[in-house]
Amino acid sequence: MNSPHLADSTLVKDSLKQSFIKLDPRLLIKNPIMFVVEICTAVMLVETIRSFFNANASPSFAYNLTIFLILLITVLFANFAEALAEARGKAQTDSLRKTREETPAKLILENGQLQTVSSSQLKKGDIFVCEVGDLIPTDGEITEGLASIDESAITGESAPVIREAGGDKSSVTGGTKVLSDKIKVVVTTQPGENFLDKMIALVEGASRQKTPNEIALTILLAAFTLIFIIVCITLEPFAHYAKTPISIAAIISLFVCLIPTTIGGLLSAIGIAGMDRALRANVITKSGKAVETAGDIDVLLLDKTGTITIGNRKATHFYPANQIDEKHFIQCAILSSIADETPEGKSIIELGERHAINSEQIKKEITSSSKFTFIKFSAETRSSGIDCERGRIRKGAFDTIKKLTEQAGNDFPNDVSEQVTKISSNGGTPLVVSENEKVVGVVELQDIIKTGIRDRFDRLRKMGVKTVMVTGDNPLTAKFIAERAGVDDFIAEAKPEDKLEYIRREQQGGKLVAMMGDGTNDAPALAQADVGVAMNSGTQAAKEAGNMVDLDNDPTKLIEVIEIGKQLLMTRGTLTTFSIANDVAKYFAIVPALFIASIPTLQGLNIMNLHSPESAILSAVIFNAIIIPILIPVALKGVAYQPIGASAILQRNLLIYGLGGIIIPFIGIKLIDLMVSVFV
């Protein structure tokens, strides 16, 4: 999803308009720093009007008016930064609003007939039909059929995707288009609560709430402001003692320059921009807190299949047990896979056909008999099979079939055990086949590790993130793939509750955990994780449990999300450092200027050698104002992040934004003073 350019004229115009609207104190009070600056601006307005009617006023009307205008511009610049960040998000909702427009829906009535109704009339639990060319009217789960769906209106990706009933790819989103076939869909949301509605609200900032970190920083900045209120108040008795009158304009200028106006003006924009960057990565966040938390993640759980490996494992070899005919074994493997709807099960049938075994004929022979029962594959049993006239045939994980055969009083063949170990050691997955609780052979499945995945895990390791691979494979296979992929840990033979238990264990140790999932069985773990990213193609339960939704259905997206989170935290930290460092230069500009006439020894503090007290104050407040729009691109784009370790990042940012925050204002104020001195 593309984000509008910063220089977009429409965005700038809308943001300028909002800058004035946001001057409303009821809106600005949400930003305590800028609210205080607005109060100071109002005081300066009163002082300016008073000096207008007093010809002998000191400082002059023109001087007071200039200070007032600069303070007003300071507030407007801060409002502009926030408005521009919001406008970039709002601009992205135009196409979404068009997508959300009323669409006809073919509702299935209780009598089975179809009735065309508006999408707004659909209620949770209703069932509708979509055919080729139809727009899906609202969010739902496919209950029957399979279809190719164009999701470009949501994801921006033109390539169609396959959605089908059952499994973890059954979810469809309102506004997407059916390109082929026919599906029945049950509505999973109430009117006005579908995915697009929530997405628009989040993007526009209507649902944005300040994150805990943002609230904490706001409190800290408010404390700084209170301190400088006390400082500025106490200056008056000192000035009186030194017989140096200080004007209201000077006190207000000093106060506004010393409080952290820079970060105060950019704080909201940084938070909004963080969510915007997540959206550009095609990730919908339910709150800004989720993005922030991602930046502090310690442990990352990733499924092996589709994340670390290319996807579905494929059967590559048949290894019959000693004294077992190969053809008979392959037939047993095919029979045990007929009810297995997983890609692995289908690949066994395909491999069998390459060995000249007609699977359709075998299936026909079996189903022609009245005595047969299919046993579908499940994660709990980790096996599939069939009961028929030929006997009880099972295919499953090594330990499952071993337990089955030994419980029946049969020995597990040593040659098959050796073959299982060999397959596992080579990174394959062994599936053992039994007939009437006697082992007949083993099928080898192979995974292909994604290119470049090891480099990505190295990058995460440099970020301080521990990677954990979750797989249903046996420990030997899991260990082999974990070592090749470069992950730090793995969970083998994982069940849904194992993920949940691992997350809880890490959290009890004070760690923040992230994971990605797409199935209903992932929902508990997604809800438990500090950052849970659900696939948009996944079930409704998964999407509701997670606090982020990945529109691209990319299992490695968590890596990008973590980088976005770290960039958000870094941007806020570095600009806070820069803002506070600025105060040093402003202090050396204004304080000597106030007292240098009555206390000549303060000339030593006038290291910038500014032209006059009036030009010094003007230069400081002008710099204080213009630094906000200069830093807007940094706030919106974020500080560049490199995985070089926390201490190295801290040193770099202190050097650039800490030292730079001290040096730049000295240079800036001096240059402005040279220009101002022409007029003052």
Side-chain angles (χ1 to χ4, degrees), residues 16 37 73 134 167 198 242 260 280 322 429 433 462 511 527 533 545 564 618 657:
L16 284 171
V37 177
I73 290 170
D134 289 348
K198 292 176 181 176
R280 277 183 280 139
N322 290 339
T429 301
V433 182
K462 289 176 183 175
K511 304 287 181 66
V533 184
I564 291 168
L618 274 175
Y657 293 93

Side-chain angles (χ1 to χ4, degrees), residues 293-300 460 463-467 488 506 509-514 530 562 566:
T293 306
D296 286 328
I297 284 299
D298 301 298
V299 182
L300 175 59
L460 280 168
M463 293 181 202
V465 179
K466 176 185 176 183
T467 50
D488 301 307
E506 291 289 340
K511 304 287 181 66
L512 292 178
V513 185
D530 299 284
I562 289 171
K566 287 188 179 295

Side-chain angles (χ1 to χ4, degrees), residues 326-541:
E326 185 181 43
K327 186 176 179 181
H328 177 77
F329 163 57
I330 296 172
Q331 286 180 345
C332 288
I334 291 173
L335 281 168
S336 63
S337 302
I338 292 173
D340 186 357
E341 295 177 354
T342 65
E344 291 86 351
K346 292 174 182 176
S347 76
I348 290 173
I349 294 174
E350 290 171 6
L351 183 64
E353 289 179 340
R354 289 203 294 270
H355 283 72
I357 307 294
N358 193 326
S359 61
E360 286 298 319
Q361 188 175 343
I362 295 173
K363 187 176 178 181
K364 191 175 179 181
E365 289 174 7
I366 294 297
T367 53
S368 63
S369 168
S370 59
K371 296 181 179 179
F372 69 93
T373 305
F374 286 124
I375 293 94
K376 291 188 175 182
F377 176 83
S378 74
E380 292 297 324
T381 62
R382 299 169 67 225
S383 66
S384 64
I386 187 172
D387 293 340
C388 59
E389 290 181 345
R390 290 194 179 195
R392 297 174 301 280
I393 301 171
R394 297 289 185 273
K395 175 205 73 201
F398 164 69
D399 56 337
T400 301
I401 303 300
K402 186 179 181 182
K403 187 177 179 182
L404 181 71
T405 55
E406 289 178 347
Q407 283 179 345
N410 298 317
D411 293 329
F412 197 94
N414 288 330
D415 62 302
V416 174
S417 290
E418 289 171 5
Q419 192 61 55
V420 165
T421 304
K422 187 178 177 182
I423 292 170
S424 300
S425 302
N426 291 328
T429 301
L431 291 179
V432 181
V433 182
S434 70
E435 183 181 23
N436 295 323
E437 291 76 47
K438 292 182 180 178
V439 174
V440 292
V442 60
V443 182
E444 180 179 2
L445 305 178
Q446 277 292 345
D447 285 297
I448 300 172
I449 294 173
K450 285 185 176 180
T451 306
I453 197 73
R454 191 179 186 95
D455 293 336
R456 301 199 76 176
F457 289 145
D458 286 341
R459 186 176 176 88
L460 280 168
R461 197 171 293 108
K462 289 176 183 175
M463 293 181 202
V465 179
K466 176 185 176 183
T467 50
V468 181
M469 181 184 77
V470 181
T471 177
D473 291 337
N474 65 71
L476 268 175
T477 303
K479 185 181 178 188
F480 181 88
I481 293 172
E483 287 174 351
R484 281 187 60 194
V487 296
D488 301 307
D489 197 5
F490 62 89
I491 306 172
E493 299 176 347
K495 298 185 180 77
E497 56 268 27
D498 295 333
K499 296 181 190 178
L500 189 61
E501 181 58 35
Y502 191 94
I503 292 170
R504 283 174 176 166
R505 192 164 62 248
E506 291 289 340
Q507 287 173 333
Q508 285 169 2
K511 304 287 181 66
L512 292 178
V513 185
M515 77 160 282
M516 180 171 261
D518 57 2
T520 302
N521 61 354
D522 291 325
L526 284 170
Q528 181 67 37
D530 299 284
V531 176
V533 184
M535 303 265 200
N536 190 40
S537 63
T539 62
Q540 193 66 27

Side-chain angles (χ1 to χ4, degrees), residues 586-646:
K586 296 168 193 172
Y587 180 87
F588 277 99
I590 296 178
V591 173
L594 292 176
F595 296 100
I596 203 164
S598 57
I599 309 175
T601 53
L602 286 177
Q603 182 64 41
L605 293 177
N606 187 19
I607 57 179
M608 285 182 275
N609 196 26
L610 301 179
H611 180 261
S612 67
E614 290 78 12
S615 72
I617 292 169
L618 274 175
S619 300
V621 291
I622 290 171
F623 179 86
N624 193 59
I626 65 172
I627 197 66
I628 294 175
I630 290 172
L631 291 174
I632 285 176
V634 179
L636 298 186
K637 291 181 179 179
V639 174
Y641 173 75
Q642 292 178 343
I644 56 177

Side-chain angles (χ1 to χ4, degrees), residues 3-18:
S3 183
H5 196 270
L6 286 175
D8 189 291
S9 59
T10 307
L11 285 188
V12 173
K13 287 177 184 176
D14 290 343
S15 301
L16 284 171
K17 182 182 176 182
Q18 285 297 317

